[in-house]
């Protein structure tokens, strides 16, 4: 029998329908959510939010390490840092170094070809002999290419690789028209109770004098090292070190061999207040960006300017310049860049980094979205923007002779500081492609690095692209080995035990990348462990020291901290535990 549906059945069916609709709605909502989640940034944010911040292994903190002599009697370290007599002696030594004017120009001929241009270094050597007699009595002194200085303090254990401490004797020129702007004359070495003023006071006669003072002090305390200590000072760092450090590097490689050095400490960053955390962070540069000057020359037929072509060579070159500037290099941020580890060190060790930022940083090495977020933040600040991208600066343009003659020859020089992930070849190729783009519009030929890469019409003219100077980015020094551990542990000891005795947090020691190059470019063969590191504290190094500028100066407290660091470091690494 077929039963007709009654009221109950109808109600039941209706209920079922409502339930089904509800279910469908829920499924629909979930689906929509899923679509939104996976096609928008939600999933990316979710990944960041759920990232663990408990990753101490990414950047271990090494406990402060004090040498035996300090544990027996800590007075020498505190004398260096706090004793008025020691301070004034130190000031004298540095002031006298500043008084010897060792300015050098760009591209000076070699010493033998133009001795008169380098004569000031004789005076500087005389100053060193007069000021550091103990050094000259106890260390072997070698002269490399006449003015390069290599001091060797022989250690008793030849199984230990020598430590190499470096700085440069030369200073950048003082521009004549700025002389009136200096508060104290640039070669007086004036001391106002806090600062020493003068060219070279912070770049970097302070490092040179500090190295010698610390060794002299160790000798006077009767210290005899197991590990050989070498101090080497070039004399044209401000002009790429071709005469000084280049020859010193060759000399040391010949004398000691490839990979023969324990570590190199050269001028570089030190301790600063980190703007994000407000905490004191020690930063040692473990890498340097690359460098290339690209020169492009355009030659076109000349003629009278009463019957000009639509575009003169200057006009065409301007078009190229416009294209270059319209197309800056994009940021690139990978784990090849020491800056990533710097941020990781802060993220895992500082409680002052906001949690979400921490999480994004910890994913930035492998998660494209998180990487983009971090890149955004780094790119916002002018000081950090170029740590993660190649810079290009059109620095020289030359062309044109006369108002009524067409310019036949125009030359443009573009300086690049190359990101650590990029090679100079890539920069040259990219540059050439821009030149070809312009050449095509004007029927011009292009010769790039000796190769004809675009033919042109054979009559309009030709671009020639070349480079005067190129340097690949430096091999990145380890920041996870024993050598690094001793560097970090000594830093913490000096600055936590003696300089800032009431810090409420550990000093994080982290690697960074330098956008500029030092003499160490010539020392790559000597060791992988190259640190551009001048551990002294300044709230803001550039603002505090006016490097390369008017009123260059150095806080004397900072100078004393550097001496204290070298004094403890040389002792701390004087064992085989600190690695051979
Ligand atoms: C330095 O040594 C003195 C004497 O042994 C001691 O009283 C003082 O606490 C030490 N200072 C530090 C910072 O360890
Ligand atoms: C240090 O890091 C490098 C590069 O990531 C790695 O190859 C090496 O094994 C690490 N060394 C130590 C001692 O952890
Ligand atoms: C250490 O304590 C003194 C006195 O409380 C304070 O003035 C100073 O700023 C502190 N130094 C640091 C580095 O925190
Ligand atoms: C480093 O060693 C390589 C290979 O032996 C050599 O070609 C190069 O000239 C050396 N670099 C320096 C700066 O001496
Ligand atoms: Zn320098």
């Amino acid at each position: 029998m077929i039963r007709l549906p009654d009221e109950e059945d109808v109600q039941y069916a209706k209920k079922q329908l409502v339930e089904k609709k509800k279910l469908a709605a829920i499924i629909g909502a979930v689906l929509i959510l899923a679509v939104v989640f996976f096609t928008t940034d939600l999933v990316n944010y979710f990944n960041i939010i759920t990232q663990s911040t408990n990753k101490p292994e990414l950047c271990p903190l090494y406990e402060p390490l004090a040498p035996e002599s300090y544990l027996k009697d800590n007075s020498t370290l505190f004398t260096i840092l706090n004793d008025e007599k020691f301070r004034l002696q130190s000031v004298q030594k540095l002031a006298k170094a500043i008084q010897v004017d060792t300015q050098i120009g760009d591209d000076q001929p070699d010493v033998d070809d133009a001795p008169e241009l380098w004569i000031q270094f004789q005076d500087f050597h005389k100053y060193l002999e007069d000021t550091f007699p103990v050094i000259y009595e106890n260390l072997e002194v070698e002269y490399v290419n006449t003015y390069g200085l290599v001091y060797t303090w022989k250690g008793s254990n030849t199984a230990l690789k020598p430590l190499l401490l470096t700085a440069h004797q030369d200073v950048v020129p003082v521009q004549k028209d700025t002389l009136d702007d200096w508060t104290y004359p640039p070669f007086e070495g004036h001391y106002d109770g806090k600062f020493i003023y003068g060219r070279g006071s912070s770049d970097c006669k302070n490092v040179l004098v500090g190295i010698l003072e610390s060794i002299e002090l160790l000798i006077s305390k009767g210290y005899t090292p197991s590990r050989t200590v070498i101090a080497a000072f070039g004399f044209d760092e401000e002009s790429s070190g071709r005469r000084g450090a280049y020859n010193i590097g060759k000399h040391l490689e010949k004398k000691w061999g490839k990979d023969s050095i324990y570590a190199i400490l050269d001028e570089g960053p030190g301790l600063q207040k980190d703007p994000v955390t407000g905490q004191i962070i020690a930063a040692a540069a473990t890498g340097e960006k690359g460098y290339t000057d690209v020169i492009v020359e355009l030659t076109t037929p000349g003629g009278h300017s009463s019957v000009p072509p639509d575009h003169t060579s200057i006009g065409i070159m301007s078009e190229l310049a416009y294209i270059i500037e319209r197309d800056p290099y994009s940021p690139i941020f990978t784990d090849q860049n020491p800056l990533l580890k710097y941020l990781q060190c802060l993220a895992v060790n500082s409680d002052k980094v906001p949690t979400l930022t921490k999480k994004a940083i910890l994913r930035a090495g492998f998660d494209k979205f998180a990487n983009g977020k971090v890149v955004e933040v780094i790119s916002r600040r002018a000081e950090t923007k170029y740590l993660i991208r190649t810079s290009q600066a059109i620095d020289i343009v030359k062309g044109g002779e006369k108002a009524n003659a067409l310019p036949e020859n125009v030359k443009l020089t573009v300086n690049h500081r190359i990101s650590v992930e990029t090679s100079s070849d890539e920069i040259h190729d990219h540059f050439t492609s821009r030149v070809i783009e312009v050449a095509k519009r004007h029927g011009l030929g292009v010769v790039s690095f000796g190769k004809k890469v675009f033919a042109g019409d054979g009559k309009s003219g030709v671009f020639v692209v070349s480079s005067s100077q190129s340097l690949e980015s430096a091999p990145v020094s380890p920041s996870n080995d024993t050598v690094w551990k001793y560097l970090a542990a000594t830093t913490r000891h000096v600055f936590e035990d003696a300089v800032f005795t009431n810090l409420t947090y550990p000093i994080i020691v982290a690697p960074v990348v330098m956008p500029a190059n030092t003499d160490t470019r010539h020392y790559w063969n000597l060791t992988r462990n190259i640190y551009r590191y001048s551990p002294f504290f300044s709230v803001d190094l550039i603002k505090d020291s006016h490097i390369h500028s008017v009123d260059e100066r150095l806080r004397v407290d900072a100078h004393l901290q550097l001496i204290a660091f070298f004094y403890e470091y040389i002792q701390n690494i004087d064992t085989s535990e600190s690695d051979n």
Side-chain angles (χ1 to χ4, degrees):
M1 188 185 92
I2 298 165
R3 189 170 72 89
L4 290 172
D6 61 13
E7 190 57 17
E8 216 171 279
D9 290 329
V10 172
Q11 288 304 328
Y12 179 76
K14 273 190 181 159
K15 219 169 145 194
Q16 285 287 75
L17 197 63
V18 170
E19 287 298 318
K20 264 188 198 155
K21 275 190 183 159
K22 257 194 201 160
L23 191 65
I26 289 171
I27 290 172
V30 167
L31 269 177
I32 289 167
L33 266 182
V35 168
V36 169
F37 190 73
F38 287 105
T39 58
T40 68
D41 290 338
L42 276 179
V43 64
N44 294 316
Y45 282 115
F46 182 78
N47 283 338
I48 291 179
I49 289 164
T50 53
Q51 169 69 38
S52 157
T53 56
N54 184 21
K55 295 257 168 203
E57 72 279 6
L58 283 179
C59 182
L61 281 177
Y62 300 108
E63 286 309 305
L65 177 70
E68 249 168 64
S69 72
Y70 175 89
L71 298 176
K72 258 192 236 139
D73 173 6
N74 62 32
S75 64
T76 309
L77 193 63
F78 289 99
T79 298
I80 297 172
L81 291 167
N82 304 327
D83 182 73
E84 192 58 22
K85 192 165 149 235
F86 185 88
R87 182 185 180 92
L88 291 177
Q89 280 171 1
S90 240
V91 165
Q92 271 302 310
K93 287 174 185 164
L94 183 51
K96 282 190 186 151
I98 293 165
Q99 284 160 14
V100 186
D101 171 354
T102 54
Q103 300 178 83
I104 62 152
D106 264 342
D107 299 322
Q108 290 193 187
D110 205 351
V111 182
D112 291 338
D113 300 331
E116 71 283 358
L117 291 178
W118 303 97
I119 203 82
Q120 65 271 38
F121 291 98
Q122 269 180 21
D123 297 337
F124 194 68
H125 290 190
K126 168 123 194 357
Y127 145 79
L128 288 170
E129 282 172 48
D130 292 346
T131 311
F132 296 101
V134 175
I135 295 276
Y136 280 78
E137 277 157 32
N138 290 274
L139 274 63
E140 179 197 359
V141 186
E142 292 168 294
Y143 300 88
V144 179
N145 195 18
T146 313
Y147 295 121
L149 285 168
V150 176
Y151 301 87
T152 307
W153 191 17
K154 276 245 160 61
S156 55
N157 185 350
T158 51
L160 299 178
K161 292 178 174 179
L163 167 70
L164 175 57
L165 303 173
T166 60
H168 56 90
Q169 306 169 53
D170 57 300
V171 299
V172 285
V174 174
Q175 286 172 21
K176 291 261 167 1
D177 53 0
T178 66
L179 269 174
D180 287 346
D181 302 334
W182 285 73
T183 311
Y184 307 103
F187 298 103
E188 182 188 304
H190 183 87
Y191 173 52
D192 72 357
K194 267 197 178 136
F195 291 92
I196 292 188
Y197 291 78
R199 180 59 88 228
S201 56
S202 61
D203 184 12
C204 65
K205 284 179 172 164
N206 58 323
V207 180
L208 188 153
V209 170
I211 291 169
L212 295 180
E213 276 192 78
S214 59
I215 294 176
E216 189 166 56
L217 192 57
L218 282 164
I219 294 171
S220 74
K221 295 283 169 191
Y223 193 79
T224 53
S226 310
R227 185 189 296 283
T228 294
V229 179
I230 303 170
F233 307 137
F235 57 91
D236 64 339
E237 192 273 346
E238 300 293 358
S239 176
S240 78
R242 242 172 301 174
R243 319 290 177 208
Y246 172 77
N247 288 299
I248 289 174
K250 289 260 178 253
H251 170 77
L252 291 175
E253 190 178 335
K254 199 165 145 205
K255 182 168 173 181
W256 296 94
K258 265 197 170 46
D259 200 23
S260 58
I261 298 294
Y262 170 78
I264 299 174
L265 264 60
D266 194 25
E267 58 173 332
L271 290 88
Q272 258 180 280
K273 210 160 215 167
D274 177 73
V276 175
T277 59
Q279 296 182 335
I280 296 170
I281 309 282
T286 54
E288 283 180 3
K289 288 175 80 179
Y291 183 108
T292 187
D293 285 329
V294 180
I295 298 162
V296 54
E297 212 166 341
L298 174 58
T299 310
T300 55
H304 200 280
S305 55
S306 58
V307 282
D310 288 348
H311 302 284
T312 70
S313 53
I314 292 178
I316 296 168
M317 200 59 108
S318 310
E319 189 181 328
L320 176 64
Y322 171 74
I323 287 180
I324 291 171
E325 292 203 336
R326 200 186 49 183
D327 174 31
Y329 281 91
S330 307
I332 170 167
F333 191 41
T334 71
D335 58 8
Q336 285 179 54
N337 190 330
L339 186 62
L340 180 58
K341 174 122 183 230
Y342 177 91
L343 296 177
Q344 286 174 344
C345 284
L346 265 57
V348 298
N349 292 313
S350 170
D351 52 14
K352 291 287 190 294
V353 180
T355 308
L356 267 182
T357 309
K358 267 188 195 184
K359 295 179 172 203
I361 288 170
L362 293 177
R363 298 186 64 81
F366 56 87
D367 172 343
K368 209 169 153 203
F369 179 79
N371 186 284
K373 290 283 157 207
V374 175
V375 162
E376 240 176 75
V377 176
I378 298 172
S379 301
R380 241 180 261 148
R381 300 171 64 94
E383 312 92 293
T384 50
K385 176 177 172 181
Y386 283 110
L387 296 177
I388 58 164
R389 78 187 73 208
T390 298
S391 64
Q392 51 179 17
I394 303 174
D395 282 336
I396 306 174
V397 58
K398 282 191 177 139
E401 289 289 334
K402 225 172 159 302
N404 64 356
L406 296 172
E408 289 168 335
N409 190 274
V410 191
K411 197 167 147 183
L412 202 68
T413 302
V414 185
N415 175 251
H416 300 80
R417 306 299 171 111
I418 309 168
S419 77
V420 292
E421 291 87 353
T422 313
S423 70
S424 60
D425 280 347
E426 286 171 75
I427 302 301
H428 296 162
D429 287 350
H430 184 56
F431 194 95
T432 302
S433 69
R434 290 154 156 174
V435 175
I436 292 174
E437 181 187 337
V438 175
K440 274 183 182 161
R441 279 201 280 275
H442 299 281
L444 300 160
V446 181
V447 176
S448 177
F449 296 89
K451 269 199 272 191
K452 195 167 186 173
V453 292
F454 189 70
D457 60 17
K459 57 179 199 290
S460 298
V462 63
F463 275 117
V464 176
V465 184
S466 64
S467 168
S468 61
Q469 246 201 88
S470 285
L471 180 70
E472 300 308 323
S473 61
V476 175
S477 306
S479 54
N480 60 353
D481 66 355
T482 309
V483 176
W484 174 266
K485 176 177 160 184
Y486 274 71
L487 199 68
T490 308
T491 302
R492 285 195 62 190
H493 154 58
V494 171
F495 287 88
E496 291 181 31
D497 295 344
V499 178
F500 302 113
T501 47
N502 56 356
L503 281 188
T504 54
Y505 56 88
I507 291 179
I508 299 166
V509 185
V512 285
V513 64
M514 288 228 311
N517 305 107
T518 69
D519 266 346
T520 56
R521 78 185 78 180
H522 300 294
Y523 301 152
W524 294 353
N525 284 347
L526 299 174
T527 177
R528 290 176 62 226
N529 295 90
I530 299 178
Y531 303 102
R532 302 134 194 102
Y533 186 45
S534 302
F536 57 76
F537 175 73
S538 54
V539 175
D540 180 324
L541 185 65
I542 304 295
K543 274 196 204 139
D544 223 21
S545 67
H546 308 147
I547 278 180
H548 287 207
S549 175
V550 168
D551 277 348
E552 180 179 338
R553 61 182 189 170
L554 176 77
R555 207 178 273 278
V556 172
D557 286 342
H559 187 52
L560 300 171
Q561 290 161 15
L562 190 63
I563 298 170
F565 175 84
F566 286 137
Y567 187 82
E568 300 295 79
Y569 182 68
I570 290 171
Q571 297 179 71
N572 264 346
I573 60 149
D574 203 20
T575 65
S576 52
E577 285 97 73
S578 61
D579 214 351
N580 56 17

